[in-house]
Amino acid sequence: MDLPRIFTIRESSHRLHNPFTPGKLAALGQALHLAPGTRVLDLASGSGEMLCTWARDHGVTGTGVDISTVFTEKARARAVELGVADQVTFVHGDACGYVSHEPVDLAACVGATWIGGGVAGTVELLVSSLRPGGLMLIGEPYWRREVPDQETASACLAAGKDDFLVLPELIEQFGGLGYDVVEMVLADQDSWDRYQAAQWLNLRRWLDGNPDDELAAEVRAELTTDPARYTRYQREYLGWGVFALMGR
């Protein structure tokens, strides 16, 4: 049980596996007014940056669950580096269906709502671990503006225009599920650049060091086409944000 290697190659230098900068992650933690001892469950926790930095900065405790062995080991190392290994635990496992043994104060899935088959299913999964009155965090893409055609949607790595909503409709979806949006921090084009463009250097350095690897042709093809695809389509049309929700 693991992520395909291409994912860990592509994002090998990343501490955040989504279009958030450290500053935006810190701003989100501050905006939520996290109290020391807040219990957090982070599903699809990646390299653990959210849990580790919030443990350091706000005194939270919690558990992260991720399917990647590489990212889980990075998360554990980060916890040691920041001196919070006694506050946070990282589990290698499938976040799909994972429910905390005890209710938590904050349940999060930041950028991986496929674990619940979409936004609605992920909200349902997270609420299974959340105490009454607790906070939920959902990280989710949205269209920055209406997508004109299938070509554009495909170039934004969507199956079709209906894969994502424009921002007001996404906010309304949360309301339709019975939740108030009580905070949000949105990626901007600069944070998208820092996430996406950093992948190109990772790919090139890996390719230079592994020219005979079985993935070399796939990596070369991606590196050849991805910068133009991203700048022509994804940078202009695809947004992303983290939304804090509370049940009504």
Side-chain angles (χ1 to χ4, degrees):
M1 181 173 56
D2 212 333
L3 283 178
R5 268 203 310 148
I6 187 64
F7 285 89
T8 54
I9 293 168
R10 190 186 289 129
E11 301 191 18
S12 58
S13 70
H14 290 50
R15 283 183 173 161
L16 295 168
H17 302 287
N18 51 59
F20 244 24
T21 60
K24 286 186 178 291
L25 182 63
L28 177 63
Q30 293 166 1
L32 297 177
H33 306 290
L34 297 169
T38 297
R39 297 162 298 171
V40 179
L41 174 66
D42 187 9
L43 297 184
S45 51
S47 295
E49 192 71 0
M50 185 175 79
L51 265 178
C52 289
T53 57
W54 286 3
R56 177 195 63 191
D57 298 340
H58 302 287
V60 308
T61 64
T63 300
V65 182
D66 199 272
I67 199 170
S68 169
T69 54
V70 172
F71 294 159
T72 301
E73 286 306 310
K74 289 177 67 174
R76 291 168 179 161
R78 185 65 165 154
V80 172
E81 178 186 358
L82 297 186
V84 296
D86 60 335
Q87 296 168 244
V88 295
T89 301
F90 293 97
V91 176
H92 172 241
D94 190 349
C96 298
Y98 187 95
V99 176
S100 175
H101 296 301
E102 297 181 359
V104 299
D105 304 305
L106 190 157
C109 176
V110 178
T113 56
W114 57 81
I115 68 170
V119 169
T122 301
V123 166
E124 184 178 355
L125 173 60
L126 291 176
V127 78
S128 300
S129 296
L130 193 64
R131 69 164 176 80
L135 273 171
M136 183 182 298
L137 294 183
I138 295 282
E140 182 69 4
Y142 59 87
W143 296 125
R144 297 182 65 231
R145 59 179 187 270
E146 294 289 346
V147 175
D149 49 40
Q150 179 60 39
E151 178 185 1
T152 301
S154 297
C156 294
L157 308 181
K161 294 191 289 184
D162 294 338
D163 266 18
F164 307 124
L165 303 171
V166 294
L167 183 57
E169 292 174 356
L170 178 58
I171 298 295
E172 290 170 347
Q173 181 184 21
F174 293 135
L177 294 170
Y179 290 83
D180 290 321
V181 177
V182 296
E183 255 297 354
M184 69 178 188
V185 177
L186 304 181
D188 55 25
Q189 286 180 313
D190 180 64
S191 51
W192 264 111
D193 292 347
R194 299 285 31 85
Y195 171 62
Q196 199 78 31
Q199 296 177 18
W200 308 332
L201 184 57
N202 293 338
L203 292 171
R204 177 53 193 266
R205 285 180 167 164
W206 181 90
L207 190 61
D208 288 348
N210 300 273
D212 300 320
D213 191 279
E214 63 182 3
L215 288 180
E218 179 181 350
V219 170
R220 165 39 61 197
E222 182 172 328
L223 184 57
T224 299
T225 60
D226 197 65
R229 177 201 61 79
Y230 167 71
T231 52
R232 179 171 289 118
Y233 296 104
Q234 187 173 336
R235 192 177 191 269
E236 299 302 316
Y237 283 94
L238 194 61
W240 192 87
V242 181
F243 304 89
L245 314 177
M246 294 183 71
R248 291 176 176 167

